[in-house]
Amino acid sequence: MEDITRGGQFLVKETKCENVFTPEDFSEEQLMMRDSVKEFTDKELWAHKDKFEKKDYAYTEASMRKAGEMGFLGIAVPEAYGGLGMGFVDTCLVCDYISGATGSFSTAFGAHTGIGTMPITLYGNEEQKLKYVPKLASGEWFGAYCLTEPGAGSDANSGKTKAVLSEDGKTYSITGQKMWISNAGFCSLFIVFARIGDDKNITGFIVENDPSNGISMNEEEHKLGIRASSTRQVFFNETKVPVENMLSERGNGFKIAMNSLNVGRIKLAAACLDAQRRVTEGAVKYANERVQFNTPIAQFGAIRYKLAEMATSCYAGESATYRAAKAIEDRINARVAEGNSHQEAELKGVEEFAIECSILKVAVSEDVQNCADEGIQIFGGMGFSEDTPMESAWRDARIARIYEGTNEINRMLSVGMLIKKAMKGHVDLLGPASKVQEELMGIPSFDTPDFSELFAEEKAILANLKKSFLMVAGGAVQKFGPDLDGHQQLLMAAADMLIEIYMAESTILRTEKLAKKEGEDKVKEQIAMAKLYLYKAVDIVTQKGKESIISFAEGDEQRMMLMGLRRFTKYTNMPNIVALRETITAKLVAENSYCF
C-alpha cells in the first residue's frame, strides 16, 4: 500500500498526469448518472427556484422525497442497508450536479446524506445500521445533525448538552440546546452530541424525533440565503434515549464529528461546482444578449476579463475536487482489498486526505462567492433584482464559507494537519525543507532550461512554489516549534500558499492529461485556463510568502529568504495574461455556455 500517494504528499512528491483522475475520465455509467441528476435538478429544482426563495419549506421536503425515490439519497450507502453502494467519486458527482440550482435544496441534501446519515453508516453497529439506514437511504426518514450550540461553534467539543444515565442503566436522559440545525423542521432522526458526566470528549447518540419525548423547536430562522432550507434551534429536555442508541463508544463523539466534517468538506466543494457552472453560463448568455453602445457587452474587454476568470476558477475547482475524490476512492478500495470493513476503509480513506478536504472546502467556497459576485456585476442593475438568479446565487453562496468549519478554521487545519503528518513521519517535509535551505546557500544555476514541451515551465514553477512553501513553513516551524498554533496569521498565510499549489497543480495535470489525449490544438482554451490559474497562484504565493518572511525572520535570514522567494516565483517566459483571457472568453462567447 505504500506506493499509494498519501494525503499531503502532493507537496513533496511529483504527481504524473496519468495518475490523476479528471472529469474527462468519467465512465459511461457516471455520465448517465450525471445526466439523470441534471434532469432532476432542472425539472424539480431550477424550474421552481421562486418557491425556494419564497421559503416554501414543504417544497424542499417534497423535492427531497423525490430525490429519495430516484435513489439519489442512497448513493454512498452500502447495498446491505438499502443504498446503491457506489464509489466515492460517484458520491461527489451526484452531490455536484444536484446542488447547482439552489442552496436551499443542496443544504437539505448535504445535511441529510452527509452528516445526517453517514455517522450511522460509518460508526453505527449492525443493529443501528439495519434499523435506521434503509429508511434514511430511501427518503422515508430524513436526518439532522445536532452539534453546534449557542456557546459551542468552532470549538465543537465545548458543548454543554448533558446525557445522564438512568438508575436502571437502560436509558440516557439528554438535556440541552442546539442551534443552526439544518433539516430540523422535517427530520425523523437527530444525531445528537452530548457530554456524559465530566468526560473530556462529547458522545454521539441517535435520537428519534418525538415531540412528546422532551424535544421542542424554535420557529424557522430568517437567513440571508438558503431560505427554504429548514434551520431551527432544537431543545432537548430530559429526552430519553435507549443506551443501545449510543453511537460508537462513550467519548467518541468529537472524533465522529470531526471525521463526518472531513467528508462534508470535500462534498461541500463538489456542491459549489455546478452553481459556478450555472452562474458562469447565465453570465455568458446575458453578456451575449445585452447590447450597449450598439455592441453586445460580451465584446467588451472588461466583461471578457470577468468571464475568463469565472470559467477558470470553476475549471480549477473541478480539477482539484475530482482529483482528491479519486485519491480517496483508491485509498478506500485498497483498504477493502486488505480486508478492512467498509466502515473502517471509508473512515481511514477520507481521514488520510483530510488536508486536501480542507483545502478544497476553502478554495471552492471562496470561488463560488466571487463567481456569483461577478455574475451580478455582468447583469448590472438586473443582477441586483430578484428576477434574475444571480442575487439568490450570491446570497446562497455566502454560507459555504461558514459551515463544515469556517474557512479560517480550515486554513489553520490544513497546515496544522500537514505539520502533524510530518511529525508522525507520514509525509517527509523535513528532508525536502532542508534541501531547500541548502539550495538557498548554493549558487543558482544559470543554464537556460529547455521549456519546449507543454507545461515544462509551468511544472518547474510549481516545483519552485512547493519550495517556497517548504521554506516559509519550515522557517516558521523552526522558529516557533509547537507554539506555531499561537501564530494564526502566519498559519493562514502558509495555508493560502498550500491551497494555491494544490489547485494550480490539479489544473495543470488535468489539462496535460487532456492535451495528451486530444492534442494540444484541440484544448487551447483549457491550456490557457491552466496557465492563467498558475500565474495568479504565483502572485498569491509571492504575496503571502513575503508577508510571512518579513513577520517572523529578520536580518540576514530575512534577506536570504526573500531572495529565495524571488528566485522561486520567477518566470523565465512571462505569459501574456490578456491574450490567455481572450482565448478563454472567445470560446465561452462562441459556444454561449460553460463548455469545459
Side-chain angles (χ1 to χ4, degrees):
M1 199 147 120
E2 278 317 297
D3 57 333
I4 289 191
T5 301
R6 300 189 72 123
Q9 277 187 337
F10 68 90
L11 249 189
V12 291
K13 264 186 148 175
E14 193 191 343
T15 308
K16 298 259 182 281
C17 74
E18 290 76 19
N19 297 338
V20 295
F21 180 85
T22 75
E24 289 76 33
D25 297 323
F26 290 142
S27 65
E28 284 301 312
E29 289 81 359
Q30 285 169 326
L31 292 173
M32 280 163 65
M33 176 59 94
R34 181 193 70 184
D35 292 344
S36 72
V37 174
K38 268 167 90 166
E39 190 185 338
F40 169 83
T41 305
D42 285 332
K43 204 168 88 199
E44 305 293 342
L45 309 177
W46 189 256
H48 301 280
K49 210 165 161 60
D50 56 323
K51 291 186 177 167
F52 294 103
E53 294 317 305
K54 290 179 183 141
K55 304 189 180 181
D56 188 340
Y57 300 106
Y59 191 72
T60 301
E61 185 181 349
S63 309
M64 283 288 288
R65 294 229 181 271
K66 280 193 182 138
E69 285 158 23
M70 302 280 294
F72 298 148
L73 302 181
I75 301 291
V77 172
E79 291 177 51
Y81 312 107
L84 297 176
M86 293 170 90
F88 199 81
V89 172
D90 298 310
T91 306
C92 289
L93 181 68
V94 171
C95 192
D96 173 350
Y97 283 93
I98 213 162
S99 300
T102 160
S104 297
F105 180 85
S106 72
T107 300
F109 178 84
H112 170 75
T113 54
I115 50 185
T117 304
M118 205 174 46
I120 309 180
T121 36
L122 296 188
Y123 285 97
N125 59 35
E126 202 55 25
E127 289 95 280
Q128 290 167 342
K129 288 190 288 191
L130 288 168
K131 181 173 180 184
Y132 294 115
V133 176
K135 289 178 174 160
L136 292 166
S138 67
E140 180 192 338
W141 279 24
F142 294 119
Y145 180 83
C146 298
L147 178 62
T148 304
E149 297 182 15
S154 293
D155 184 3
N157 204 23
S158 66
K160 303 270 185 286
T161 298
K162 288 280 177 217
V164 180
L165 188 60
S166 61
E167 297 271 304
D168 61 10
K170 289 188 175 160
T171 57
Y172 279 97
S173 173
I174 294 183
T175 302
Q177 174 186 2
K178 297 287 182 179
M179 71 191 303
W180 311 127
I181 306 308
S182 298
N183 296 354
F186 59 83
C187 76
S188 322
L189 174 150
F190 299 104
I191 308 286
V192 181
F193 294 93
R195 193 177 309 281
I196 303 172
D198 294 327
D199 286 4
K200 178 173 171 262
N201 290 326
I202 49 182
T203 298
F205 295 90
I206 303 169
V207 182
E208 294 182 26
N209 184 7
D210 171 7
S212 69
N213 184 17
I215 300 176
S216 58
M217 297 183 199
N218 272 6
E219 287 302 297
E220 292 287 351
E221 300 282 352
H222 299 287
K223 308 186 294 291
L224 171 70
I226 56 169
R227 290 186 167 171
S229 117
S230 170
T231 313
R232 296 185 172 195
Q233 288 194 37
V234 182
F235 302 90
F236 298 96
N237 185 9
E238 302 202 350
T239 300
K240 304 286 179 277
V241 184
V243 289
E244 57 268 23
N245 275 28
M246 183 189 285
L247 197 52
S248 183
E249 57 222 39
R250 178 172 174 169
N252 227 2
F254 186 57
K255 195 172 167 185
I256 296 174
M258 291 305 102
N259 282 335
S260 304
L261 291 176
N262 282 334
V263 186
R265 283 168 186 152
I266 182 168
K267 287 194 187 162
L268 181 60
C272 293
L273 295 175
D274 196 49
Q276 285 185 77
R277 290 186 204 104
R278 285 172 187 262
V279 166
T280 304
E281 185 144 319
V284 171
K285 286 184 159 61
Y286 184 81
N288 272 330
E289 284 162 21
R290 172 75 172 164
V291 173
Q292 290 291 284
F293 310 103
N294 298 326
T295 312
I297 63 170
Q299 298 309 315
F300 295 123
I303 301 292
R304 295 173 82 81
Y305 173 107
K306 293 180 190 304
L307 294 173
E309 297 284 346
M310 290 159 81
T312 299
S313 68
C314 182
Y315 179 75
E318 293 170 349
S319 309
T321 302
Y322 285 104
R323 172 191 182 181
K326 185 65 163 69
I328 291 171
E329 182 172 301
D330 289 346
R331 192 77 184 186
I332 292 169
N333 292 342
R335 284 190 168 272
V336 169
E338 284 185 353
N340 285 56
S341 67
H342 163 263
Q343 281 179 308
E344 189 66 8
E346 184 127 341
L347 275 172
K348 289 287 183 228
V350 174
E351 202 177 338
E352 178 64 58
F353 289 93
I355 294 166
E356 286 80 354
C357 292
S358 280
I359 286 173
L360 287 164
K361 192 275 179 183
V362 173
V364 188
S365 66
E366 291 179 3
D367 285 343
V368 73
Q369 185 87 56
N370 294 337
C371 183
D373 199 70
E374 292 288 41
I376 289 182
Q377 199 67 12
I378 289 168
F379 273 69
M382 280 306 293
F384 204 71
S385 159
E386 288 187 1
D387 296 341
T388 63
M390 291 296 160
E391 70 86 42
S392 65
W394 186 86
R395 284 185 292 100
D396 283 355
R398 188 60 188 84
I399 188 61
R401 283 150 55 198
I402 297 169
Y403 56 24
E404 308 282 358
T406 65
N407 284 10
E408 290 69 28
I409 288 275
N410 273 293
R411 277 187 162 87
M412 289 183 286
L413 270 175
S414 61
V415 178
M417 290 188 289
L418 185 64
I419 292 169
K420 273 202 188 88
K421 280 196 159 210
M423 301 296 183
K424 284 185 181 164
H426 289 184
V427 175
D428 176 19
L429 287 187
L430 300 174
S434 55
K435 280 208 185 81
V436 174
Q437 293 266 309
E438 284 163 30
E439 188 176 333
L440 287 179
M441 298 302 206
I443 297 161
S445 152
F446 293 106
D447 301 343
T448 312
D450 171 22
F451 287 147
S452 52
E453 241 181 69
L454 177 67
F455 291 139
E457 179 163 9
E458 285 74 14
K459 285 176 156 178
I461 289 170
L462 258 179
N464 279 340
L465 294 185
K466 293 177 184 182
K467 289 177 189 172
S468 308
F469 175 84
L470 290 167
M471 174 179 75
V472 170
V477 170
Q478 265 175 334
K479 173 141 191 188
F480 299 112
D483 301 333
L484 187 58
D485 280 0
H487 298 268
Q488 291 195 346
Q489 295 194 41
L490 291 178
L491 282 172
M492 304 273 283
D496 282 333
M497 298 170 80
L498 186 65
I499 289 166
E500 291 308 320
I501 290 166
Y502 188 71
M503 301 300 288
E505 181 177 71
S506 302
T507 311
I508 286 169
L509 292 173
R510 172 188 183 179
T511 311
E512 185 189 9
K513 189 174 187 181
L514 188 60
K516 283 184 173 174
K517 191 172 122 194
E518 303 285 339
E520 286 177 41
D521 51 329
K522 294 265 195 332
V523 294
K524 58 180 195 296
E525 295 81 12
Q526 285 92 330
I527 291 171
M529 287 194 283
K531 290 183 172 181
L532 176 61
Y533 194 95
L534 179 69
Y535 176 79
K536 298 190 74 174
V538 170
D539 261 1
I540 293 170
V541 169
T542 304
Q543 182 202 343
K544 298 294 179 178
K546 182 178 168 188
E547 185 185 306
S548 299
I549 293 164
I550 61 180
S551 300
F552 77 77
E554 40 203 27
D556 284 348
E557 187 194 10
Q558 187 191 93
R559 275 192 293 279
M560 192 76 180
M561 289 175 90
L562 286 173
M563 186 193 74
L565 185 67
R566 278 194 298 276
R567 192 194 297 177
F568 293 146
T569 51
K570 201 171 89 232
Y571 275 87
T572 305
N573 309 291
M574 282 285 190
N576 178 339
I577 291 301
V578 172
L580 292 179
R581 288 198 196 102
E582 272 302 313
T583 300
I584 299 159
T585 307
K587 174 90 165 167
L588 290 167
V589 168
E591 303 270 341
N592 202 25
S593 71
Y594 175 80
C595 47
F596 306 112

